Amino acid sequence: MNKRPNAVRVRELIGIFLLCLSGVFLSLYMLKIRDFEIKDALLLFAFCILSFFGSHLLFAYIKREHVCFLYLILFCELFLRSTVYGRFDFFEYTILEAKSERVSFFVDTKVNLIPLSTIGRFFSLSLLSREFIVNVLGNTLILTPIPIALYASTREKKHALAYGVLLTLILSLTAELLQLFFMCGSPDVDDLILNTLGGVLGAVAVKAVLVLKQN
């Protein structure tokens, strides 16, 4: 059995290193970001570049579907972890353990169950404001890659995009329920709406690319 040339092994190691490094960049962005600034844009840009070159180096030896599936799993894990990690303002008790006064205070001040009320408040601000970019565009685009990655990671393409949108909805709902259960962050039905809209946009983007390829 012939061994791979050393150059091939080095290329694989470099690809793995770049992908791991890009994962670290994404983790830092999702877990530590407070306000979207220029440094955050540069961090995301670095993540995209490192992921591109890392994937390019590895695709010659690993099936593209496997890489996309691993990316999908990593992205889902990071998203769910980021919903509770570092939000310790109401993280001392779960909603089942806290006193009724504390639960009432959390629900009254942090939880929103009225559709479009939070979105409407942010749309009253400047579309270039930090609050609008982070809360509206951020919540819309954060799960957009899910349908794309699911479509790219499966050979059964027929219902992949629909399942991708459904997975986006499930992930977002899980995130909001985790925040409610651990009384952290701000559980908001509008986050669910924006996250799911982002999944729909991802599916539409794939459809548009497929239509352009056929023409």
Side-chain angles (χ1 to χ4, degrees), residues 37-198:
E37 299 175 354
I38 295 297
K39 62 179 182 180
D40 301 309
L42 294 176
L43 197 61
L44 284 179
F45 178 75
F47 163 73
C48 295
I49 296 298
L50 289 172
S51 295
F52 173 79
F53 283 107
S55 301
H56 178 72
L57 291 170
L58 285 176
F59 277 158
Y61 312 104
I62 301 177
K63 290 184 178 180
R64 186 181 298 269
E65 292 86 357
H66 295 167
V67 175
C68 291
F69 181 73
L70 290 174
Y71 171 79
L72 176 64
I73 297 299
L74 173 64
F75 194 91
C76 292
E77 190 272 337
L78 284 174
F79 173 75
L80 290 176
R81 179 151 51 96
S82 68
T83 60
V84 293
Y85 184 85
R87 302 182 181 191
F88 295 107
D89 50 342
F90 288 89
F91 203 67
E92 298 178 16
Y93 310 96
T94 68
I95 198 169
L96 301 178
E97 299 169 329
K99 294 181 179 180
S100 58
E101 296 83 2
R102 191 175 182 85
V103 174
S104 298
F105 178 75
F106 175 77
V107 172
D108 292 340
T109 59
K110 295 286 187 176
V111 179
N112 172 49
L113 298 178
I114 304 175
L116 304 181
S117 62
T118 304
I119 295 174
R121 188 174 78 251
F122 285 121
F123 265 98
S124 66
L125 304 174
S126 169
L127 299 185
L128 298 178
S129 67
R130 180 179 300 169
E131 290 79 7
F132 181 86
I133 292 174
V134 172
N135 292 282
V136 177
L137 293 184
N139 276 319
T140 301
L141 299 179
I142 187 65
L143 292 182
T144 296
I146 294 295
I148 301 172
L150 185 62
Y151 183 86
S153 62
T154 180
R155 294 183 179 180
E156 299 295 330
K157 308 292 188 184
K158 186 175 181 180
H159 301 296
L161 293 178
Y163 289 147
V165 175
L166 179 61
L167 178 57
T168 303
L169 173 63
I170 293 173
L171 281 172
S172 180
L173 180 60
T174 302
E176 299 307 312
L177 291 177
L178 283 173
Q179 290 184 39
L180 179 62
F181 181 75
F182 289 108
M183 294 197 299
C184 63
S186 300
D188 195 325
V189 66
D190 283 355
D191 289 347
L192 182 65
I193 294 173
L194 292 173
N195 291 160
T196 307
L197 176 61

